[in-house]
Amino acid sequence: MEPKREEVVIVGAGIAGLTTSLGLHRLGIRSLVLELSDGLRVAGFALLTWTNAWKALDAVGVGDILRRQHVRLYWNVTTSLITGNQTSITSFTAKGKHGGHEVRCVKSFHSGRQLQSCTATCTIPCDEKTGYWFLTWTPTSREEELEEDPVKMKQWVLQKLEKMPSNVRAVIEKTELDSIFSWPLKYRSPWELIRGNISKGDVCVAGDALHPMPPDLGQGVCCALEDGVVLARCLAEAFSKKGRGNEKEDEEKEQYRRIVAALKKYANERRWRCIDLITTSYVVGVIQEGGSKLINSLRDEILAPFLAGLLLIKSDFDCGKLNSS
């Protein structure tokens, strides 16, 4: 049996992969998506989607569908875990360079709460019936065993939140044990993106394969959506151009050169945006986690409004529309 030839193969049905495939589909280009899992994975995640994510979702045509299912968030309240005092309030109604801000928490396949692992905690509504919370921390050797026991994990989280407002603690107290998960965080040094290849020949990386980052800006998923739109647009430009070769072999070589050039264009467009988000997420995470009394004091008394403001600053970005020319 002769093997079937595919022009675009996407390995991994994650956020970036599916966004790329959907973007290509809207531009009339077929793609084959390969996924190791044989079904939907129920993981309990919710995705905090900022302004830049909604611009990407609108570009691939699913923004309005998701808007109807998830409530809009209008502000962020920051509270110190150490003192229990409120340190900042950030409004999400301000306008940025690319228009008004839009923030929502989008449910994935399982409507639950998700616990992750490294420093801040928040409770976020997804819709009228579902909420999402997470705590990040760097576990000690003694705390690593907590990851396997949701009962102990829940008790430990409540201990950490001893000084938080009662309504925040109530959300954790009411969380069912089968809705508590522990998940390791991954991070790629920005130096790797400066020195390394995002594309090589007719292959490139996107999403977490490109820019795993701490969750302190909430930009991991948003950045993956941007990747998908930009990659689909660059590939569509390559496939829309007609070859000038007279022979089939010459035309195929020219098409290959166009694809390589398109992936380089994608890499150049995404490199510094990813470096910016990775670096900022890491620095914010270090400050959030604190450690010394001096850093904790600076964070809570001086830096809290600035750190919260970065959430809007870094989401004030438009990856552009989809077009094939």
Side-chain angles (χ1 to χ4, degrees):
M1 187 175 180
E2 188 176 341
K4 189 175 180 181
R5 177 174 174 171
E6 300 287 346
E7 289 189 320
V8 180
V9 178
I10 299 169
V11 181
I15 298 293
L18 293 179
T19 304
T20 304
S21 181
L22 181 55
L24 289 170
H25 174 73
R26 290 179 65 82
L27 294 171
I29 299 171
R30 185 180 183 276
S31 62
L32 174 66
V33 181
L34 304 178
E35 171 56 47
L36 182 63
S37 176
D38 58 3
L40 294 178
R41 289 168 291 189
V42 179
F45 284 90
L47 313 172
L48 192 56
T49 49
W50 295 85
T51 309
N52 54 319
W54 288 103
K55 291 188 182 298
L57 290 168
D58 284 335
V60 294
V62 298
D64 287 339
I65 297 172
L66 293 171
R67 283 184 180 95
R68 291 195 291 268
Q69 301 173 30
H70 301 91
V71 297
R72 189 166 181 174
L73 308 179
Y74 290 95
W75 62 83
N76 172 68
V77 178
T78 305
T79 304
S80 171
L81 284 176
I82 297 172
T83 64
N85 295 329
Q86 182 178 299
T87 56
S88 72
I89 299 179
T90 303
S91 171
F92 294 157
T93 59
K95 288 192 174 182
K97 293 185 298 183
H98 300 283
H101 283 283
E102 181 176 7
V103 187
R104 301 173 195 264
C105 192
V106 176
K107 290 185 295 183
S108 61
F109 308 129
H110 174 63
S111 57
R113 288 87 176 170
Q114 172 71 22
L115 182 77
Q116 296 182 323
S117 50
C118 215
T119 67
T121 180
C122 61
T123 55
I124 312 167
C126 297
D127 53 35
E128 289 78 6
K129 297 181 180 179
T130 308
Y132 167 78
W133 63 266
F134 71 90
L135 174 77
T136 63
W137 93 105
T138 303
T140 64
S141 56
R142 286 176 129 191
E143 292 167 350
E144 287 178 356
E145 63 182 39
L146 296 174
E147 299 179 18
E148 307 298 326
D149 190 334
V151 175
K152 291 181 179 179
M153 179 70 78
K154 185 175 181 178
Q155 292 172 345
W156 182 83
V157 171
L158 287 169
Q159 259 185 340
K160 285 284 184 183
L161 305 183
E162 189 176 2
K163 294 185 179 179
M164 293 293 284
S166 58
N167 59 338
V168 175
R169 289 177 54 84
V171 172
I172 283 78
E173 288 169 348
K174 292 179 180 179
T175 302
E176 297 178 359
L177 295 178
D178 61 0
S179 291
I180 296 178
F181 302 88
S182 178
W183 204 260
L185 299 175
K186 295 183 179 180
Y187 165 75
R188 169 157 291 142
S189 166
W191 297 112
E192 293 182 26
L193 290 188
I194 292 174
R195 296 184 309 220
N197 292 325
I198 295 175
S199 71
K200 188 173 183 180
D202 59 353
V203 177
C204 72
V205 289
D208 281 347
L210 171 59
H211 48 67
M213 67 182 77
D216 300 272
L217 286 181
Q219 278 293 330
V221 166
C222 304
C223 193
L225 289 166
E226 292 177 13
D227 292 344
V229 172
V230 176
L231 181 53
R233 184 171 61 238
C234 290
L235 284 173
E237 290 174 1
F239 283 107
S240 67
K241 295 176 182 176
K242 295 181 180 179
R244 291 171 294 179
N246 297 323
E247 300 292 335
K248 182 179 180 182
E249 184 178 346
D250 292 338
E251 188 175 332
E252 288 181 351
K253 287 181 179 178
E254 190 173 334
Q255 175 82 318
Y256 177 82
R257 286 194 291 269
R258 290 198 300 269
I259 292 171
V260 171
L263 296 184
K264 284 183 178 178
K265 181 179 179 181
Y266 155 78
N268 290 335
E269 189 170 337
R270 296 304 297 157
R271 187 184 307 274
W272 290 103
R273 168 66 172 166
C274 294
I275 289 171
D276 178 28
L277 292 178
I278 289 173
T279 304
T280 307
S281 295
Y282 180 80
V283 172
V284 170
V286 170
I287 297 173
Q288 294 271 42
E289 191 163 348
S292 70
K293 289 183 178 181
L294 176 60
I295 292 178
N296 292 341
S297 178
L298 286 172
R299 177 195 63 206
D300 294 345
E301 297 177 21
I302 299 175
L303 294 176
F306 170 74
L307 295 175
L310 283 174
L311 299 173
L312 291 182
I313 292 172
K314 296 306 177 183
S315 69
D316 188 13
F317 182 87
D318 189 350
C319 62
K321 310 295 184 190
L322 284 175
N323 55 66
S324 56
S325 60

